[in-house]
Amino acid sequence: EKGGFDTYMLKEIYEQPQALTNTLIGRLHDETGEVNLDINLDPASFKRISIIACGTAFYAGLVGEYLIEQLARIPVEVDVASEYRYRSPLVSENTLAIVISQSGETIDTLEALREAKKQGARTLGVINAKGSSMTREVDDVLYIHAGPEIGVASTKAYTAMVSAMLMLALWLGRARGTLNEELGRELLQGARELPRLVEESLQPERVENIKRVAQKYHQARDYLFLGRGVNSPTAFEGALKLKEISYIHAEAYAAGEMKHGPIALIDQNLPVVVIATESFLLEKTISNIQEVKARSGKVIAVVSDGDTEAARHADDVIYVPRAAEMVSPVVNAVAMQLLAYFTATALDRDVDKPRNLAKSVTVE
Ligand code: F6R
């Protein structure tokens, strides 16, 4: 049932090109540069968006915040569901509450959804599991179509959620007139290329390289992950994946925050994963790499193919296929998954069933 793979997690990592094809299929229209999501809510009627989720889905929500604010110019807030449900959120009939969930059953997210509805929000679910509780309670659903995910640590559901958030941002931006046709087409093309880019990310020599890096540092006690902008959530997701399946303590920060505290942790024993792929802020991220090096930290840089500048300063380099910044969180997430996976297997962990974790958290 694992299709020749050692674990469900690895199988699901390799299923991503197909999963993403299923997420995107029939929804991108090249002729018009528009996306068709079959959502009946009126995109022009929202003044504010609240994204609500837990864990990995919350990080997909953070990517969504960057994309929606940039492309659709609507204020977005992102909350972990366990906070949202108790903090008397500000909601009006112009609020769109988006819940993101693989299982559609996570109790905190479900209760937060109920709270948002009670306060008068309109609601949209970005959900994987067909017919799950959340799908029955939201006004509309955008299924991510990732297929069943069995490994406890989320992989293909995450990249599918992020792709769905990109499509939502494109839909909102086009419908609200904040995203011009040309950029719309360009991003649509970027989305369309995602399955191929992820396929490329899984080429044997790339996977072998990540395995080598993972094995080199698998005895580290702590890890730090840094990323900027739309890839700061990628850093959070990388740290979460590593914690969940390897039990190595990992923290993630927006790279610009490093100076404000975490820099104190850096010494020769600390591997620091820096997401340094193509970005309008790459120069700043390279400065962060130099700051880590100046304090004897070990830098594992995740860089775009062909880059030499960021790679030059790093101890180890993970090359990923070059992608437009707005779609890069999907591509970069695959490297995070593989790094966590091979670290955990080097430590002989049970990656499909990590201790203390359940696939779906249905009790508070
Ligand atoms: C991380 C992970 C959890 C879930 C979280 C939400 O790998 O699996 O953090 O993402 O429990 O679950 P869903 O998406 O089912 O609501």
Side-chain angles (χ1 to χ4, degrees):
E1 76 274 1
K2 293 178 196 153
F5 290 96
D6 290 344
T7 60
Y8 283 110
M9 185 177 173
L10 195 60
K11 172 174 177 267
E12 288 160 5
I13 288 172
Y14 276 86
E15 277 171 357
Q16 289 178 110
Q18 187 58 55
L20 294 177
T21 300
N22 295 342
T23 307
L24 302 167
I25 207 155
R27 289 169 164 171
L28 308 176
H29 295 287
D30 289 328
E31 322 77 59
T32 56
E34 291 190 2
V35 288
N36 178 7
L37 302 178
D38 261 323
I39 293 174
N40 294 313
L41 298 160
D42 173 11
S45 64
F46 308 123
K47 294 210 162 65
R48 166 191 193 124
I49 294 181
S50 292
I51 300 178
I52 308 159
C54 301
T56 285
F58 171 71
Y59 299 141
L62 291 178
V63 178
E65 174 184 29
Y66 279 93
L67 297 176
I68 294 171
E69 287 200 338
Q70 179 136 354
L71 300 178
R73 311 305 292 160
I74 313 172
V76 179
E77 56 179 3
V78 195
D79 273 282
V80 291
S82 55
E83 287 299 313
Y84 184 91
R85 59 182 288 201
Y86 294 120
R87 75 171 173 87
S88 41
L90 295 169
V91 177
S92 74
E93 70 276 18
N94 297 321
T95 303
L96 173 65
I98 303 176
V99 288
I100 309 179
S101 179
Q102 188 289 124
S103 63
E105 302 294 348
T106 303
I107 194 71
D108 282 323
T109 311
L110 186 59
E111 289 296 342
L113 165 64
R114 289 175 178 155
E115 179 64 25
K117 276 177 80 167
K118 202 165 89 192
Q119 305 279 336
R122 273 152 318 143
T123 59
L124 173 70
V126 176
I127 293 169
N128 195 34
K130 308 264 148 66
S132 53
S133 302
M134 283 177 220
T135 66
R136 286 182 261 115
E137 297 195 25
V138 287
D139 294 325
D140 224 325
V141 188
L142 177 61
Y143 278 113
I144 62 169
H145 297 304
E149 191 180 64
I150 294 168
V152 164
S154 184
T155 52
K156 63 178 180 171
Y158 178 71
T159 48
M161 284 166 184
V162 174
S163 306
M165 295 314 288
L166 173 64
M167 288 193 292
L168 259 181
L170 288 171
W171 176 68
L172 289 165
R174 292 294 283 135
R176 296 167 66 91
T178 51
L179 172 61
N180 68 42
E181 199 176 320
E182 194 186 328
L183 183 58
R185 273 182 207 281
E186 205 176 300
L187 289 169
L188 196 119
Q189 190 51 38
R192 187 178 290 291
E193 283 175 10
L194 280 172
R196 182 182 59 77
L197 290 171
V198 169
E199 182 93 59
E200 266 181 51
S201 305
L202 293 166
Q203 284 162 344
E205 59 280 13
R206 293 188 198 268
V207 176
E208 275 310 310
N209 176 49
I210 296 177
K211 189 173 183 176
R212 178 192 60 78
V213 174
Q215 288 173 345
K216 179 168 167 188
Y217 296 106
H218 78 281
Q219 272 160 345
R221 201 185 53 172
D222 312 280
Y223 249 90
L224 182 63
F225 288 74
L226 302 174
R228 270 179 195 273
V230 76
N231 276 300
S232 60
T234 309
F236 298 136
E237 172 62 3
L240 179 66
K241 235 44 349 149
L242 189 72
K243 278 182 271 210
E244 284 185 295
I245 62 169
S246 77
Y247 317 145
I248 294 176
H249 167 242
E251 290 202 55
Y253 279 86
E257 271 289 286
M258 188 176 70
K259 284 195 188 70
H260 301 283
I263 198 164
L265 295 170
I266 296 172
D267 65 15
Q268 72 283 0
N269 298 317
L270 186 73
V272 183
V273 177
V274 185
I275 319 281
T277 48
E278 197 162 273
S279 162
F280 75 106
L281 290 173
L282 183 55
E283 281 306 310
K284 297 201 185 285
T285 305
I286 292 172
S287 303
N288 294 130
I289 292 177
Q290 288 165 323
E291 286 156 12
V292 174
K293 284 316 300 168
R295 286 153 189 91
S296 314
K298 298 284 182 285
V299 172
I300 303 167
V302 179
V303 308
S304 304
D305 281 346
D307 173 279
T308 50
E309 198 43 35
R312 195 156 62 88
H313 304 284
D315 294 274
D316 292 277
V317 181
I318 295 174
Y319 283 101
V320 295
R322 196 164 274 277
E325 185 166 17
M326 285 199 194
V327 304
S328 66
V330 174
V331 180
N332 296 343
V334 179
M336 299 294 103
Q337 297 163 357
L338 291 167
L339 183 65
Y341 184 83
F342 291 118
T343 305
T345 50
L347 291 164
D348 228 359
R349 309 293 194 217
D350 182 352
V351 292
D352 280 342
K353 287 200 171 49
R355 69 186 183 200
N356 309 343
L357 293 175
K359 182 64 185 162
S360 170
V361 183
T362 53
V363 288
E364 191 175 354

